[in-house]
Amino acid sequence: MSYASTDGAPTGRVLVVDDDRVNRMLLRQNLEHAGHVVRTAENGREALDVLRDDPPDVVLLDILMPELDGVAVLERLKADDALNHLPVIMISAVDETESVLRCIEMGAEDYLPKPFDPVLLRARINAGLTKKRLHDLEHERVRSVFSRFVPEHVVEDVLERTDEDLRLGGSREVGTVMFTDIRGFTAFTEATEPHRVIGLLNSYFGEMIDAIFAHEGTLVGYRGDGLLAVFGAPIAFSDHADRALAAAREMLEVRLPRFNRWLGDRGLGDGFAMGIGLNSGSFMSGNVGSARRLEYTIHGDTVNTASRLEGMTKELGRSVLLADATCWALSQRPDDLDYVGEFDVRGRRSTLSLWSLAAPAS
């Protein structure tokens, strides 16, 4: 992380790699005087160990070294996804112009000629730290975007799948789509103060999103007082249907009853019911939007059918409806899986076999 010195210049952690002990000492003294935290390495192999153990903000890398020279170190660093963003400034002698040009082409930021000019050293380091700081800020911005719809522990996996534009490219995935809706909420909002409605809705969403994340699902978006989620994208899971059904069960058997008890304790009524639609199959997914605002989205017939099934839960008197595709995608069918029947579903030419969870015995 970069900070600022007393004169306002950025400071940070610098790794100096040079086989000449005097050069290392001079660079270290100069950099520490400017407020930087400095580590040194006397050869390329030691430098790679330091880089992997504790990555710095900027690397000063000598070209000519025994065992593993600076060009080889730079090549390995740029091939490492965890390190290739680090700014590297090559240290070169006057007669190493060809090697310097090669390093610039490989991705080095700049070079520092020997003997060292303190003013030039300061300028090179400051430029490198500024680039590293901008990279870190952008990384955190994108992390905050993705953490809104995937569990925190899979954010890094998602970031690794983004392109240079920091987007997930469009792809066709296979997974299970979930639509949820809270019943009777519209009538409640008409008779309740807006600030209380929003607070209540946030509490409800908090419970349901925690259930989705607990089973490693992805929150795609809000649909009024409902949610759209997917299991198996953008991170693939072979047991996506099992995860979706487990999340639905947790919503209905744990989260919703707890939310309704919370309402009752505050004198806000007898509580609400839920409807959940699950459908499995292929769909298109990816990030859409601009550089200022991105949203992860999914499209396709699988998604539309899940929405229709959620809408049918009320008329069929069921809290959850599973399409036959989701039932077949389960790696283990629960004992309480209940066949509902064959039904026409709007937007589909043929009927669908629908399943639900049997009501617990009283």
Side-chain angles (χ1 to χ4, degrees):
M1 180 178 292
S2 298
Y3 302 95
S5 62
T6 55
D7 63 357
T11 61
R13 297 176 302 129
V14 182
L15 173 62
V16 176
V17 188
D18 197 316
D19 62 319
D20 187 304
R21 184 179 64 85
V22 175
N23 284 343
R24 292 198 306 274
M25 180 184 68
L26 290 173
L27 285 168
R28 181 169 203 149
Q29 289 177 348
N30 196 301
L31 292 168
E32 288 181 343
H33 180 72
H36 304 293
V37 176
V38 182
R39 293 189 67 177
T40 62
E42 63 182 33
N43 59 61
R45 296 193 187 282
E46 183 182 345
L48 289 174
D49 289 339
V50 173
L51 283 164
R52 290 164 182 154
D53 177 60
D54 184 23
D57 296 315
V58 178
V59 181
L60 276 174
L61 180 61
D62 190 18
I63 292 180
L64 294 181
M65 292 184 294
E67 294 192 43
L68 198 67
D69 65 18
V71 177
V73 173
L74 179 65
E75 185 176 23
R76 296 189 187 187
L77 190 150
K78 291 302 178 183
D80 189 326
D81 290 339
L83 300 173
N84 59 19
H85 66 283
L86 295 179
V88 179
I89 302 167
M90 306 306 297
I91 304 173
S92 68
V94 176
D95 59 353
E96 294 169 0
T97 303
E98 186 175 336
S99 295
V100 169
L101 292 176
R102 181 183 174 193
C103 290
I104 297 296
E105 290 173 350
M106 291 170 58
E109 296 303 311
D110 214 326
Y111 74 98
L112 184 68
K114 300 177 184 178
F116 308 119
D117 179 337
V119 176
L120 190 58
L121 171 62
R122 178 187 176 96
R124 296 285 196 266
I125 293 294
N126 287 351
L129 288 173
T130 298
K131 180 174 181 179
K132 174 63 163 50
R133 180 173 177 270
L134 290 174
H135 173 275
D136 291 346
L137 287 173
E138 184 66 3
H139 188 273
E140 286 306 309
R141 183 187 71 82
V142 177
R143 168 185 278 277
S144 70
V145 171
F146 287 128
S147 63
R148 290 183 301 171
F149 52 77
V150 296
E152 181 64 27
H153 67 279
V154 302
V155 171
E156 287 301 327
D157 287 340
V158 174
L159 289 176
E160 288 178 4
R161 296 162 184 253
T162 61
D163 54 26
E164 293 180 358
D165 192 10
L166 298 172
R167 302 189 188 188
L168 284 173
S171 61
R172 186 166 292 279
E173 311 283 353
V174 174
T176 298
V177 179
M178 168 189 283
F179 268 91
T180 76
D181 186 48
I182 182 170
R183 296 175 183 166
F185 192 74
T186 301
F188 174 84
T189 62
E190 293 173 352
T192 308
E193 295 178 352
H195 74 276
R196 179 165 290 182
V197 170
I198 296 301
L200 185 151
L201 192 58
N202 285 337
S203 297
Y204 167 78
F205 280 149
E207 288 279 10
M208 302 311 155
I209 292 170
D210 283 349
I212 293 168
F213 283 3
H215 299 278
E216 300 188 271
T218 298
L219 174 65
V220 179
Y222 303 91
R223 300 295 185 269
D225 51 23
L227 296 172
L228 167 59
V230 64
F231 297 79
I235 305 298
F237 295 113
S238 59
D239 60 345
H240 52 82
D242 301 82
R243 292 173 183 270
L245 183 57
R249 188 188 296 276
E250 183 175 329
M251 289 175 175
L252 294 170
E253 297 179 2
V254 179
R255 303 282 180 171
L256 184 63
R258 183 163 62 201
F259 174 72
N260 284 337
R261 288 195 299 271
W262 179 83
L263 290 176
D265 291 344
R266 286 157 180 76
L268 297 175
D270 298 327
F272 299 95
M274 278 185 73
I276 303 174
L278 300 177
N279 187 33
S280 304
S282 64
F283 47 82
M284 292 181 292
S285 71
N287 278 340
V288 297
S290 67
R292 297 184 62 181
R293 182 178 175 84
L294 290 175
E295 287 190 359
Y296 181 72
T297 188
I298 55 176
H299 292 284
D301 182 65
T302 299
V303 182
N304 296 337
T305 299
S307 176
R308 304 274 163 66
L309 295 186
E310 182 280 312
M312 293 172 65
T313 57
K314 188 172 183 179
E315 61 188 82
L316 295 180
R318 301 282 183 157
S319 295
V320 58
L321 286 176
L322 294 73
D324 201 39
T326 300
C327 187
W328 282 105
L330 292 168
S331 60
Q332 214 169 14
R333 294 193 181 191
D335 293 336
D336 59 349
L337 198 63
D338 184 33
Y339 179 67
V340 181
E342 295 274 339
F343 294 90
D344 290 320
V345 177
R346 184 165 57 88
R348 296 188 61 89
R349 295 179 180 177
S350 57
T351 59
L352 278 184
S353 296
L354 301 183
W355 301 73
S356 186
L357 295 177
S362 57

